Amino acid sequence: MVRKRRTELPTASSGESSGSAQEATGGNGSGGGRGSQPPVAATGGNGSGGSRGSQPPAAAPQQGATGMGFQGGRGWGPQSQQGGRGGGYSGGRGPPQRGGMTSQQQQFNVPTEYHGRSRGGAPPQQPPAAAAAYEPGSRSRGRGGGGRGGEQPVSHGGPPSKPSSSDLHQATQESYAAGGTPHHVPSEASSSRPAAESLTQQLQKVSIQQEGSPSQAIQPVAPSSKSMRFPLRPGKGITGRKCIVKANHFFAELPDKDLHQYDVSIHPEVTSRGVNRAVMEQLVKLYRESHLGKRLPAYDGRKSLYTAGPLPFISKEFKIILADEDDGTGAPRRDRDFKVVIKLAARADLHHLGMFLQGRQADAPQEALQVLDIVLRELPTTRYCPVGRSFYSPALGRRQPLGEGLESWRGFYQSIRPTQMGLSLNIDMSSTAFIEPLPVIDFVTQLLSRDVSTRPLSDADRVKIKKALRGVKVEVTHRGNMRRKYRISGLTSQATRELTFPVDDRGTMKSVVEYFYETYGFVIQHSQWPCLQVGNQQRPNYLPMEVCKIVEGQRYSKRLNERQITALLKVTCQRPHERELDIMQTVHHNAYHEDPYAKEFGIKISEKLASVEARILPAPWLKYHDTGREKDCLPQVGQWNMMNKKMVNGGTVNNWICINFSRGVQENIARAFCHELAQMCHISGMAFNPEPVLPVYTARPDQVERVLKARFHDAMTRLQPQGKELDLLIVILPDNNGSLYGDLKRICETDLGLVSQCCLHKHVYKMSKQYLANVALKINVKVGGRNTVLVDAISRRIPLVSDVPTIIFGADVTHPHPGEDSSPSIAAVVASQDWPEITKYAGLVCAQAHRQELIQDLFKTWQDPVRGTVAGGMIKELLISFRRATGQKPQRIIFYRDGVSEGQFYQVLLYELDAIRKACASLEPNYQPPVTFVVVQKRHHTRLFANNHHDRNAVDKSGNILPGTVVDSKICHPTEFDFYLCSHAGIQGTSRPAHYHVLWDENKFSADGLQSLTNNLCYTYARCTRSVSIVPPAYYAHLAAFRARFYMEPETSDSGSMTSGAAAGRGMGAGGGAGAGSGGRSTRVSAANAAVRPLPALKENVKRVMFYC
């Protein structure tokens, strides 16, 4: 049975065009945008990334997810000169130095007892003595989930203890006094809190991995929210031009009712919320007046019931009778008896919620918020089809066909949120895919896109039908008004005409065809088709397809194909003005002032959009090369172009080849295209040889591996004697190329060590200047160049970045599509490799357990037969690479983490901040640069609208708010440091601002400091001349993770992806095993009960450049 998994993906969008994973960057949209993973429920607004389910991560055992080959690496690498500058910002070009992560990482001066011990060092707030407080033997493997044990202190000998309630405070700037020992600093947070406690100690209390059980997975511990505080807002920002915007938040007045919670137990237990609700609805109807003190309770469909005031009993049992659905046998309906016990559980305290909203209490009282949410969901749940936090109905308009038996339903999202203005109800428009309520025969005809009566079903057809119909509810149509419902469990392997079943205890067999004719007088027309199997496997029932119709109102939760996504995006893509009107109409239509539940609980909802003060941050000046006519540039409304400008550091492409996989492109066209592209790269400031090493070669797509390796070999045969390398492969692809793109990238990046640029057939023919200029930008960063840098960066004017060497990380995890139950999740981390410019980012990727959100390979240790315990991981490798590229070690870390839902903030921070600390300490004792950890969220439902849609100075061409609009008041968190930033100009649809939430800040950023840095970085995205919607390091991590999926499962075809076993088996030869340095560790079993196969390792020269662009 298909588990429903909530995958509401944001959609189509403004800002970056949600391109396909293909690389061709047409036009001015910022190429294959986030959101390349197909949305299942489109909620309008900016296409955002892969489906990040909001389930908590499974227990996360370590899965040799190396793919990186961390070698040696006990200390820092040697200092190297800063390469790739092209002689400063003027004059000479010089080949950019490709310095970066080499596998032999030499040693820095590290006392021997620290070699590879991965101690975690003395954290910033710890007294010096603490460094010795660790047991020398206990090397934390910390492979687990949430709480991840630190090293075990001597005093702890027992099992993991519970998280303490003492608070964790941010380290303050003084802790990093030059050369001094970190000293204990009291926190500035509220005086009522106990003394600060180091992160490492906190982590030890959360969970401790016992020595001697390295393979045992730690269950993720959800630390109590009291154990750790996120930073308080450091005041509000003042930079920028002030303006007013409207937000889709509606003020909700906090009731002064006395809320009571009751436990509900229903026997016999049923899993269906629908049945539970029917039972409780009947109970309220019968007993509201007589036994419930006339109260109207709100019910969550499971175990909890809430009332506004007490019921006249502490505990009571009720007997409820539900009439069962007609079973279609002609027998009288069965009644189902239920015993319901309602028992007082607690009083839900709204006083604390009030305190929290006023900023006088740090923790959000989740229970009280949940009660209010349930109350406001009661009425829409009875009227509409609930999916996650959204409600859908054909009555809400715009029911559109999506193809292959699916249609889109319109709906709205609703959620109650604590904000600075008090409680707010966030309401947004949404659409998602439902299965059309068709006769099954018609559904199958649409699914297979052909008349199915003409030829028999192939095996592939059967698989597709079974996949699409498993778990779907159907009703039978051959019995007049008796419409019994069944859930499909599979298809029969035989045709209907061959099926027989026993009709009595003696084993008398009867055919299905005979039975239907004799019993119902029904002649089966399509007897060559399989039957639907319903019921369980032990006693299956057979239903011919032609007597079944799909029941209305079933959401389609599997993966959509490209055509369906396009159709869904068309429906959801609305201009801001239209969307605002629709939201207002929804609020009006929901008539909260007449909602009997809202009335009962005293909740009043405003019908006006919240008016919010905003500021428009100025765009930053961008630096281009001094030899161009324009040496710098000030973007206008989030965009600019390359006219009269040269890249600030042009890369060098001396040796390149081109392979054409598109039959429709003749050789002379391919040659002309390459010539134009080389010319454009030259004009843009690169050193690009106009002649390829070998002539353009045309090949068949099914020969991709053989052709790539043969051409590479031929080119290298020519180049190697002269000591030269092949710099670039240009590839021409057919517009619909299936798995070709993914196969090609996998072979180039993990086998040949070659960067490639793919161009689609349609663009090769058009050969537009805009397209060629965009492709040139991508090629330049792939060969180690820089397109532009911030003027403020090179003049050292960026607060808390320009003063000391600073590294900026971006991290993201992409999860497999819904319906793929075994393929791994992929984590990617990128980090800036230049300072002070901060525009070049090196990237690493690894596979980890299915739907695991915590990044497992940030820090890891393994046993090496020669060197003993060796420490490595993605953070360490990127820190060493920064040191090698800049000659300096980072004195400050800024970590932008994408794709974390609010419910996982604590877990992700505890686990990943600890990994960053350990990675730093494994390089050098007491090396603990201050960290700022910021979560970037795009999957939220806050939308900002111009106060006046007709004011030309307040909107961009698409009618959206202007790029640089920042909001940090009213609709933001009551006390914590968060803000909404719309950094991009809209293209179509309604812009979705990014939400930034600071979870840890030892660098003590001001509001203006972090907001301006984040906005300015959005102008440094390499793939286009537009500012983008989320900070580039997070964007690059998303691109890298998406790219790595091709290394693992090169085929993702229209029919859904291939079976995971086959996918995992593909392409593993390249790059070999778990990568060097993994110490031959066995790959552990993941939560999904299958070993996570490590990705093939990226080649060293590929890792160093922005291969994912």
Side-chain angles (χ1 to χ4, degrees):
M1 217 157 282
V2 174
R3 283 197 312 255
K4 282 211 173 179
R5 192 175 282 148
R6 190 165 151 250
T7 341
E8 282 185 278
L9 276 202
T11 69
S13 95
S14 84
E16 302 98 72
S17 57
S18 292
S20 75
Q22 253 60 319
E23 216 178 315
T25 342
N28 204 9
S30 36
R34 294 166 63 70
S36 311
Q37 269 160 298
V40 177
T43 47
N46 249 352
S48 113
S51 66
R52 305 177 174 120
S54 51
Q55 290 128 311
Q62 174 64 16
Q63 315 67 29
T66 26
M68 251 84 56
F70 302 114
Q71 293 193 333
R74 293 204 194 146
W76 291 91
Q79 302 198 13
S80 73
Q81 296 313 305
Q82 207 148 337
R85 280 282 175 79
Y89 295 102
S90 55
R93 188 174 285 107
Q97 180 178 327
R98 289 204 181 166
M101 292 163 264
T102 68
S103 50
Q104 294 308 316
Q105 294 162 352
Q106 286 141 33
Q107 234 150 272
F108 197 70
N109 255 340
V110 182
T112 46
E113 71 270 25
Y114 276 85
H115 281 187
R117 189 67 71 61
S118 81
R119 281 281 175 81
Q125 306 109 308
Q126 215 163 305
Y134 298 126
E135 225 174 289
S138 68
R139 300 188 184 101
S140 158
R141 296 217 170 49
R143 296 274 208 290
R148 172 151 179 164
E151 293 77 6
Q152 193 169 332
V154 179
S155 58
H156 278 252
S161 54
K162 288 209 172 86
S164 90
S165 63
S166 72
D167 300 336
L168 212 71
H169 300 297
Q170 311 294 324
T172 55
Q173 202 56 55
E174 304 96 273
S175 330
Y176 298 93
T181 334
H183 47 274
H184 202 82
V185 187
S187 156
E188 300 158 38
S190 80
S191 55
S192 63
R193 297 187 192 151
E197 184 180 11
S198 83
L199 180 70
T200 312
Q201 287 168 327
Q202 176 65 39
L203 286 156
Q204 284 156 6
K205 294 190 179 167
V206 172
S207 88
I208 290 163
Q209 172 104 25
Q210 293 297 305
E211 175 70 355
S213 58
S215 63
Q216 187 182 323
I218 303 174
Q219 293 299 325
V221 175
S224 95
S225 56
K226 293 183 180 57
S227 62
M228 193 170 186
R229 298 268 180 267
F230 298 140
L232 298 174
R233 189 181 299 284
K236 297 198 171 115
I238 51 172
T239 306
R241 174 164 67 82
K242 288 190 172 157
C243 65
I244 298 288
V245 295
K246 289 177 288 188
N248 58 341
H249 284 243
F250 298 84
F251 178 68
E253 209 175 296
L254 194 60
D256 55 357
K257 298 277 185 181
D258 193 8
L259 298 188
H260 285 64
Q261 179 183 351
Y262 292 85
D263 284 341
V264 174
S265 57
I266 300 176
H267 295 282
E269 267 189 52
V270 275
T271 49
S272 155
R273 279 191 186 198
V275 175
N276 285 344
R277 284 187 184 283
V279 170
M280 292 308 291
E281 196 182 330
Q282 183 77 345
L283 187 148
V284 173
K285 199 156 72 183
L286 295 174
Y287 299 114
R288 183 181 174 186
E289 298 292 326
S290 57
H291 291 69
L292 302 182
K294 302 193 177 174
R295 300 212 180 275
L296 182 61
Y299 177 50
D300 71 353
R302 296 229 185 274
K303 302 273 183 198
S304 296
L305 189 77
Y306 300 95
T307 57
L311 293 176
F313 55 80
I314 299 295
S315 174
K316 198 166 191 64
E317 187 177 299
F318 297 87
K319 293 258 191 295
I320 300 293
I321 296 168
L322 274 195
D324 199 8
E325 285 184 350
D326 190 322
D327 68 355
T329 58
R333 289 188 179 202
R334 279 183 321 188
D335 285 339
R336 294 171 74 187
D337 294 351
F338 292 95
K339 183 177 90 177
V340 182
V341 177
I342 298 177
K343 187 173 165 190
L344 179 64
R347 288 176 62 169
D349 191 355
L350 290 181
H351 168 70
H352 286 294
L353 181 54
M355 298 274 283
F356 171 71
L357 293 169
Q358 291 162 30
R360 287 160 55 198
Q361 177 186 322
D363 289 331
Q366 291 303 336
E367 301 76 20
L369 287 168
Q370 204 178 338
V371 178
L372 300 176
D373 212 34
I374 288 164
V375 170
L376 290 172
R377 292 170 58 79
E378 267 292 348
L379 196 59
T381 299
T382 57
R383 284 186 187 167
Y384 310 122
C385 177
V387 175
R389 287 183 174 273
S390 299
F391 299 94
Y392 298 95
S393 164
L396 295 170
R398 283 192 244 179
R399 189 173 180 167
Q400 303 278 357
L402 298 177
E404 298 196 7
L406 302 186
E407 60 183 8
S408 72
W409 282 20
R410 189 112 164 107
F412 64 93
Y413 166 93
Q414 167 182 302
S415 163
I416 199 130
R417 301 187 61 76
T419 62
Q420 288 173 39
M421 66 177 183
L423 277 183
S424 116
L425 190 66
N426 180 201
I427 292 194
D428 192 22
M429 303 320 295
S430 179
S431 289
T432 193
F434 278 77
I435 302 168
E436 278 193 70
L438 297 168
V440 171
I441 294 269
D442 296 357
F443 176 84
V444 171
T445 305
Q446 276 200 33
L447 181 72
L448 301 178
S449 312
R450 62 181 173 84
D451 177 9
V452 277
S453 54
T454 50
R455 65 168 193 261
L457 296 178
S458 66
D459 285 348
D461 289 340
R462 280 169 176 278
V463 169
K464 195 171 180 183
I465 296 168
K466 189 173 177 178
K467 222 174 175 177
L469 285 177
R470 191 186 289 138
V472 172
K473 250 190 189 173
V474 290
E475 55 186 16
V476 292
T477 57
H478 62 292
R479 319 219 21 223
N481 292 331
M482 291 169 123
R483 294 263 169 144
R484 178 132 197 226
K485 297 182 176 72
Y486 297 90
R487 201 176 284 281
I488 300 172
S489 57
L491 289 185
T492 59
S493 47
Q494 297 148 294
T496 303
R497 59 172 169 245
E498 295 160 18
L499 282 173
T500 58
F501 63 98
V503 284
D504 56 30
D505 299 340
R506 294 196 301 278
T508 315
M509 301 302 279
K510 182 169 275 193
S511 77
V512 169
V513 175
E514 273 172 8
Y515 175 80
F516 269 79
Y517 182 67
E518 289 170 16
T519 316
Y520 308 114
F522 185 91
V523 179
I524 293 172
Q525 303 293 320
H526 302 276
S527 61
Q528 77 282 15
W529 282 42
C531 272
L532 300 177
Q533 217 164 294
V534 297
N536 59 26
Q537 293 296 331
Q538 287 71 43
R539 283 199 52 236
N541 283 340
Y542 302 134
L543 290 175
M545 286 189 189
E546 62 207 80
V547 304
C548 296
K549 179 177 183 286
I550 292 168
V551 174
E552 185 172 78
Q554 297 179 80
R555 177 172 173 245
Y556 183 77
S557 59
K558 303 185 188 86
R559 185 178 168 188
L560 299 176
N561 63 36
E562 294 294 327
R563 287 185 299 279
Q564 291 166 332
I565 292 163
T566 307
L568 187 56
L569 294 188
K570 258 190 195 149
V571 181
T572 53
C573 187
Q574 280 182 296
R575 294 260 158 172
H577 187 46
E578 295 166 22
R579 193 183 192 98
E580 185 188 322
L581 287 174
D582 270 7
I583 289 169
M584 292 301 292
Q585 205 177 331
T586 301
V587 171
H588 190 68
H589 182 254
N590 288 352
Y592 294 102
H593 58 282
E594 289 171 12
D595 178 337
Y597 295 95
K599 271 185 177 165
E600 169 89 10
F601 284 81
I603 302 172
K604 294 190 183 72
I605 306 290
S606 161
E607 296 211 338
K608 278 202 188 97
L609 288 155
S611 276
V612 186
E613 280 182 20
R615 288 167 291 116
I616 298 164
L617 301 178
W621 279 90
L622 302 174
K623 177 81 183 104
Y624 282 93
H625 202 279
D626 287 348
T627 56
R629 260 197 281 172
E630 292 181 29
K631 299 174 178 54
D632 47 31
C633 141
L634 183 65
Q636 301 299 313
V637 197
Q639 50 190 328
W640 64 103
N641 59 43
M642 286 294 290
M643 300 269 282
N644 304 322
K645 301 177 194 69
K646 288 193 187 294
M647 296 151 175
V648 74
N649 296 122
T652 302
V653 177
N654 288 322
N655 308 305
W656 58 277
I657 57 173
C658 172
I659 302 177
N660 168 26
F661 285 104
S662 179
R663 267 194 325 203
V665 176
Q666 289 84 26
E667 209 160 293
N668 58 334
I669 302 272
R671 261 203 316 273
F673 174 76
C674 289
H675 181 263
E676 289 292 316
L677 183 55
Q679 189 67 18
M680 179 58 82
C681 289
H682 175 71
I683 292 166
S684 302
M686 293 180 68
F688 204 107
N689 182 347
E691 290 304 315
V693 177
L694 303 170
V696 173
Y697 185 80
T698 302
R700 292 204 341 242
D702 57 359
Q703 305 278 308
V704 58
E705 188 148 4
R706 190 181 61 73
V707 169
L708 280 178
K709 289 180 176 173
R711 289 309 271 175
F712 180 72
H713 179 264
D714 294 350
M716 290 311 288
T717 307
R718 211 170 267 205
L719 294 171
Q720 249 164 347
Q722 307 162 45
K724 292 178 181 171
E725 290 292 327
L726 188 58
D727 300 315
L728 177 71
L729 165 67
I730 295 171
V731 186
I732 298 169
L733 295 177
D735 292 340
N736 293 320
N737 56 66
S739 67
L740 177 58
Y741 175 85
D743 286 342
L744 187 138
K745 290 294 182 187
R746 172 176 54 81
I747 296 159
C748 287
E749 288 157 10
T750 66
D751 196 350
L752 304 177
L754 179 60
V755 290
S756 55
Q757 178 60 51
C758 296
C759 305
L760 292 179
H761 173 131
K762 59 184 176 191
H763 297 307
V764 169
Y765 265 93
K766 276 190 202 150
M767 238 185 283
S768 83
K769 288 273 184 276
Q770 173 67 68
Y771 172 73
L772 293 170
N774 270 4
V775 174
L777 292 176
K778 295 171 62 150
I779 290 175
N780 188 46
V781 296
K782 286 176 184 180
V783 298
R786 282 191 200 93
N787 294 338
T788 184
V789 297
L790 296 168
V791 167
D792 278 359
I794 47 175
S795 56
R796 304 282 182 100
R797 286 200 301 256
I798 303 176
L800 294 180
V801 171
S802 299
D803 55 343
V804 296
T806 298
I807 187 168
I808 301 184
F809 284 92
D812 190 16
V813 178
T814 65
H815 300 295
H817 296 291
E820 289 178 29
D821 289 335
S822 55
S823 43
S825 292
I826 290 182
V829 180
V830 303
S832 56
Q833 298 294 294
D834 51 352
W835 180 82
E837 302 89 346
I838 49 170
T839 52
K840 274 187 182 180
Y841 291 83
L844 297 173
V845 290
C846 69
Q848 57 186 41
H850 176 74
R851 303 205 82 80
Q852 166 63 273
E853 186 54 60
L854 308 176
I855 301 176
Q856 300 297 294
D857 269 14
L858 287 181
F859 176 77
K860 59 183 185 185
T861 54
W862 63 88
Q863 292 301 322
D864 181 273
V866 182
R867 296 175 314 204
T869 306
V870 183
M874 297 161 107
I875 299 284
K876 182 171 180 175
E877 183 166 354
L878 290 164
L879 288 171
I880 289 170
S881 154
F882 178 94
R883 167 68 178 254
R884 204 164 269 137
T886 64
Q888 312 198 59
K889 57 185 182 187
Q891 297 300 313
R892 180 180 288 124
I893 292 174
I894 300 168
F895 196 93
Y896 284 104
R897 176 66 155 90
D898 195 3
V900 183
S901 60
E902 282 173 21
Q904 293 181 319
F905 279 4
Y906 285 104
Q907 262 187 321
V908 168
L909 178 65
L910 275 170
Y911 185 88
E912 295 181 6
L913 184 58
D914 181 50
I916 295 168
R917 290 253 195 272
K918 286 180 173 158
C920 292
S922 71
L923 287 164
E924 184 181 299
N926 298 329
Y927 172 57
Q928 289 294 336
V931 177
T932 295
F933 193 107
V934 186
V935 166
V936 187
Q937 292 175 304
K938 280 294 291 284
R939 304 195 56 208
H940 58 78
H941 287 270
T942 294
R943 297 289 179 278
L944 302 174
F945 303 103
N947 195 35
N948 174 2
H949 290 278
H950 305 296
D951 179 356
R952 283 293 168 84
N953 298 321
V955 293
D956 62 19
K957 272 190 282 194
S958 67
N960 278 291
I961 53 171
L962 294 170
T965 303
V966 66
V967 169
D968 61 4
S969 64
K970 208 159 178 185
I971 58 168
C972 293
H973 193 280
T975 56
E976 291 168 12
F977 187 3
D978 72 327
F979 56 92
Y980 290 95
L981 170 65
C982 181
S983 49
H984 65 296
I987 295 176
Q988 55 176 348
T990 303
S991 293
R992 173 195 303 265
H995 183 226
Y996 295 89
H997 201 128
V998 182
L999 303 191
W1000 191 257
D1001 183 27
E1002 290 168 336
N1003 291 301
K1004 296 281 173 266
F1005 271 97
S1006 67
D1008 280 331
L1010 190 61
Q1011 289 165 11
S1012 295
L1013 169 66
T1014 304
N1015 186 54
N1016 291 350
L1017 286 174
C1018 290
Y1019 286 80
T1020 64
Y1021 184 65
R1023 306 204 312 175
C1024 57
T1025 52
R1026 302 177 68 90
S1027 59
V1028 287
S1029 65
I1030 65 163
V1031 71
Y1035 205 145
Y1036 293 145
H1038 178 81
L1039 293 177
F1042 197 78
R1043 168 66 55 81
R1045 208 159 272 292
F1046 292 124
Y1047 303 160
M1048 183 184 61
E1049 37 181 42
E1051 291 176 27
T1052 43
S1053 64
D1054 262 0
S1055 55
S1057 68
M1058 51 201 267
T1059 59
S1060 49
R1066 294 282 316 258
M1068 288 310 306
S1078 67
R1081 237 181 2 204
S1082 65
T1083 307
R1084 297 242 200 89
V1085 173
S1086 82
N1089 251 349
V1092 172
R1093 201 184 272 267
L1095 297 171
L1098 283 168
K1099 292 294 181 188
E1100 287 296 332
N1101 61 325
V1102 173
K1103 274 184 207 178
R1104 293 197 289 265
V1105 294
M1106 296 167 72
F1107 66 93
Y1108 43 80
C1109 274

